[in-house]
Amino acid sequence: LPLVIDNTFGTPYLIRPIEHGADIVVHSATKFIGGHGTTLGGVIVDSGKFDWKASGKYGNIYGRLTNSTQDVFEKRIAALEGGVAALAVASGAAAITYTIEALAQAGDHIVAQKTIYGGSYNLLEHTLTQFGVTTTFVDAHDLKEVENAIQPNTKAVYLETLGNPNSDIPDIDAIAAIA
């Protein structure tokens, strides 16, 4: 079960979720560089533990994504996070959406911490439900609640390194062991 971590707010503090068991890390640089209006983009970093080839969800997804400048950027972000690859997209919301949509389809389930960015909450609670993906929101500090929320059709556990609005920090190591 992949553990997906939004490390946007953790980035300035050099939190490296992959070293603590995360499988996929997403960033939304617009949240802390110039506010929400800045168009810097989002990034998805793969730890190499999730088998994208077996999932059938890999390869170039759009020709304009492959250019040398972007390739250098993606490789540097992957190296900073300790991952094997990265994908730069237009926004942090796009990075989160790409990741969840690549992991879950109609009939699937996600476990997510309750204290997450409002846009992430709306994606999981309102948008993806229209496509048949359900989410159970849990107190990420209650490890039993996290474990009990996992169902046979659960495709990922979604956390943020610094939860919103409380800036609470989940125990990534413990949740990775559960996932």
Side-chain angles (χ1 to χ4, degrees):
L1 188 63
L3 178 59
V4 179
I5 304 286
D6 181 338
N7 196 33
T8 297
F9 291 111
T11 304
Y13 303 101
L14 299 176
I15 297 171
R16 294 176 57 139
I18 288 174
E19 292 177 2
H20 297 281
D23 297 296
I24 301 168
V25 178
V26 296
H27 291 272
S28 174
T30 58
K31 289 182 188 171
F32 61 89
I33 299 178
H36 290 282
T38 304
T39 340
L40 185 60
V43 183
I44 303 166
V45 181
D46 178 13
S47 68
K49 292 184 276 183
F50 182 72
D51 189 352
W52 290 99
K53 191 168 187 178
S55 76
K57 301 168 194 259
Y58 66 96
N60 294 335
I61 55 176
Y62 190 57
R64 292 184 190 170
L65 290 178
T66 52
N67 67 61
S68 58
T69 303
Q70 190 162 332
D71 184 54
V72 169
F73 172 71
E74 291 168 342
K75 286 178 179 169
R76 288 180 180 172
I77 293 294
L80 284 171
E81 279 292 346
V84 296
L87 173 65
V89 294
S91 68
I96 295 164
T97 304
Y98 272 41
T99 301
I100 299 299
E101 286 181 349
L103 297 172
Q105 299 174 15
D108 290 338
H109 175 256
I110 302 293
V111 174
Q113 89 187 71
K114 289 179 181 176
T115 53
I116 58 176
Y117 168 65
S120 302
Y121 175 84
N122 286 331
L123 171 72
L124 295 167
E125 177 66 13
H126 302 291
T127 305
L128 292 179
T129 57
Q130 296 174 44
F131 300 99
V133 177
T134 59
T135 301
T136 300
F137 294 93
V138 298
D139 175 354
H141 303 287
D142 182 342
L143 299 178
K144 208 46 143 169
E145 185 177 350
V146 174
E147 185 172 17
N148 290 338
I150 296 173
Q151 304 170 7
N153 63 336
T154 299
K155 297 301 179 184
V157 176
Y158 177 80
L159 306 172
E160 294 180 358
T161 50
L162 292 174
N164 186 355
N166 304 333
S167 294
D168 56 323
I169 303 170
D171 186 342
I172 298 170
D173 293 304
I175 295 173
I178 292 169

